[in-house]
């Protein structure tokens, strides 16, 4: 079969399509014929050797996919031919991932493709939607009517957070550096959008929020944005630290943190157990039924284009970047 594989950690060019033997499913694993896989920044960190718990090369990354059960797990619940989505686990981190024509995946981390979903959406949504769900619901305890501020809102996690927060009844403020993407975020449900690089961003947020400043912040950027979020947060707000695209380190004003009684919480979608991920995914599917819009997918690449696909992910797409492994 064809798989994207790297033999040495380093630049993304190390990831190349190559012919490899079909994976042999172990106990509790199903063999899945992958139809679509989605890219995540974590795949790049893995190739670069910057991801904790990663397997040693040669290795195939890929944590998001939709496909069909080719060989069911022994005594499993999902029969041959079931269309499935991948919800996480060690696949693409410690065991070979889904950027391939086939993957052996523990059945507990698979869910049937939800009714009414296209296969492309089944590959695009799970990891980012589960991440956003953990930040909004499981850790963020979002209540309807709250103001949610989302940094890096045009990305995979960001768009998922915009869609889900809106469907859960929040007022949504979304940040992006691009005018065009801010317009698209409003179409996805953001009540107001802001330029993340505006010098007076904090003032703009204060004016737009009125007497309801952000009480929950989904923070995808890190670097200087953590302190900017502290300034924009209302009294007692929760700041969910999810990503670090703008920098690994932040300097924060501790006085403000104390004065506003803020809670800053790191969170990781990988902390979900299989049972928790299945429960969260059920919540996501039910919540999305209320909005009914298609999941944002930016571009679909062929298996011959690993470098182009990751370059596109780096360029700041709106929504997900997929690879079509059907051929
Ligand atoms: N904690 C977890 O469990 C978890 C799970 C999934 C992902 N993550 C992390 O969360 C972060 C976001 O992931 P993602 O998949 O949403 O990423 P993504 O799809 O690459 O998008 C993030 C968006 O952030 C903006 N951005 C990127 N670099 C920026 C910079 N230097 N300054 C300001 N804005 C910048 C871009 O939007 P504009 O160009 O529109 O501004 C980009 O579209 C990543 O660090 C990822 O590793 C964490």
């Amino acid at each position: 079969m064809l798989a994207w594989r790297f033999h040495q950690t380093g630049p993304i060019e190390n990831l190349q399509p190559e012919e490899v033997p079909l994976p042999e499913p172990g106990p509790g694993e199903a063999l899945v014929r992958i139809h679509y896989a989605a890219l995540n920044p974590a795949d790049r960190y893995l190739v670069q050797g910057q991801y904790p718990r990663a397997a040693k090369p040669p290795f195939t990354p890929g944590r998001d996919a939709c496909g069909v059960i080719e060989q069911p797990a022994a005594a499993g619940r999902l029969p041959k031919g079931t269309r499935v989505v991948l919800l996480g686990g060690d696949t693409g981190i410690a065991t070979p991932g889904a950027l391939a024509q086939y993957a052996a995946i523990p059945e507990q981390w698979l869910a049937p493709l939800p009714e009414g979903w296209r296969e492309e959406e089944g590959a695009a949504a799970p990891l980012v939607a589960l991440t956003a769900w953990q930040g909004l619901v499981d850790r963020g305890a979002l209540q309807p009517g709250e103001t949610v501020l989302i940094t890096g809102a045009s990305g995979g996690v960001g768009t998922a957070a915009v869609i889900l927060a809106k469907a859960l009844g929040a007022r949504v403020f979304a940040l992006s550096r691009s005018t065009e993407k801010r317009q698209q975020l409003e179409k996805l449900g953001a009540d107001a959008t802001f330029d993340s690089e505006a010098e007076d961003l904090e003032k703009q947020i204060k004016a737009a929020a009125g007497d309801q400043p952000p009480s929950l912040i989904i923070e995808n950027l890190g670097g200087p944005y953590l302190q900017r979020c502290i300034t924009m947060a209302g009294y007692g707000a929760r700041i969910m630290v999810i990503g670090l695209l703008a920098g690994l380190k932040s300097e924060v004003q501790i006085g403000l943190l104390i004065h506003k009684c803020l809670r800053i919480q790191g969170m990781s979608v990988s902390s979900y157990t299989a049972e928790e991920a299945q429960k969260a995914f059920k919540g996501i599917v039910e919540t999305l039924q209320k909005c009914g819009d298609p999941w944002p997918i930016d571009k679909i690449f062929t298996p011959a284009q690993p470098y182009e696909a990751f370059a596109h992910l780096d360029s700041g797409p709106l929504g997900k970047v997929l690879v079509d492994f059907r051929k």
Side-chain angles (χ1 to χ4, degrees):
M1 69 162 185
L2 191 72
W4 288 8
R5 218 154 69 127
F6 61 98
H7 289 258
Q8 252 187 327
T9 55
I12 199 69
E13 288 85 342
N14 287 8
L15 189 65
Q16 294 289 338
E18 62 181 54
E19 285 294 325
V20 300
L22 266 187
E24 282 180 26
E29 290 183 341
L31 182 67
V32 178
R33 173 71 176 93
I34 305 296
H35 285 183
Y36 293 95
L39 303 191
N40 288 287
D43 304 322
R44 182 174 1 96
Y45 302 146
L46 205 119
V47 178
Q48 291 169 339
Q50 291 169 359
Y51 198 89
R53 296 196 299 116
K56 287 205 170 69
F59 190 67
T60 295
R63 299 174 65 191
D64 255 336
C66 180
V68 174
I69 302 264
E70 177 88 12
Q71 185 186 318
R77 70 197 150 92
L78 300 168
K80 183 173 173 156
T82 312
R83 294 200 294 172
V84 287
V85 301
L86 169 57
L87 300 185
D90 282 340
T91 303
I93 304 172
T95 60
L99 284 161
Q101 286 178 318
Y102 292 85
I105 301 173
E107 197 200 46
Q108 59 178 346
W109 287 102
L110 293 171
L113 178 71
E115 220 182 298
W117 285 38
R118 290 179 303 125
E119 288 190 343
E120 293 89 324
E121 294 174 303
L127 187 122
V128 289
L130 285 164
T131 306
W133 187 265
Q134 191 177 84
L136 293 167
V137 178
D138 287 337
R139 306 236 190 261
L142 174 66
Q143 296 300 312
E146 281 195 272
T147 302
V148 176
L149 175 74
I150 300 162
T151 65
S154 65
V157 177
T159 49
V162 169
I163 294 167
L164 289 168
K166 192 64 201 167
L168 290 163
R171 177 169 69 150
V172 178
F173 286 3
L175 306 191
S176 160
R177 296 169 295 185
S178 140
T179 313
E180 196 199 331
K181 286 196 265 179
R182 289 199 294 276
Q183 285 165 358
Q184 288 175 278
L185 285 165
E186 281 167 23
K187 287 192 193 133
L188 284 182
D191 294 283
T193 57
F194 305 86
D195 178 356
S196 13
E197 291 182 323
E199 269 181 35
D200 65 345
L201 174 66
E202 291 82 349
K203 268 193 195 155
Q204 289 183 33
I205 295 282
K206 195 172 178 191
D211 60 3
Q212 266 195 303
S215 49
L216 179 61
I217 300 184
I218 299 296
E219 218 295 78
N220 289 305
L221 296 177
Y225 286 92
L226 183 57
Q227 174 54 40
R228 300 195 86 172
C229 288
I230 289 172
T231 309
M232 294 184 284
Y235 180 85
R238 298 91 76 202
I239 301 175
M240 299 293 139
V241 178
I242 294 179
L244 32 77
L245 290 166
L248 293 169
K249 289 186 181 169
S250 263
E251 195 167 303
V252 301
Q253 273 178 277
I254 298 167
L256 210 49
L257 202 61
I258 296 170
H259 174 66
K260 288 189 176 182
C261 293
L262 300 179
R263 199 176 93 203
I264 298 182
Q265 175 161 4
M267 51 141 283
S268 166
V269 70
S270 305
S271 68
Y272 273 142
T273 62
E275 203 180 12
E276 288 166 343
Q278 295 282 357
K279 185 169 172 239
F281 190 62
K282 195 164 173 275
I284 290 164
V285 173
E286 283 168 10
T287 303
L288 291 176
Q289 269 164 4
K290 293 178 204 154
C291 59
D293 292 332
W295 197 261
I297 292 166
D298 191 90
K299 198 162 176 184
I300 303 180
F301 287 85
T302 72
Q305 298 176 296
Y307 178 70
E308 292 85 344
F310 276 98
H312 191 71
L313 183 68
D314 282 350
S315 74
L318 189 122
K320 297 296 289 179
V321 177
L322 303 191
V323 188
D324 180 351
F325 274 103
R326 288 172 303 163
K327 284 159 208 137

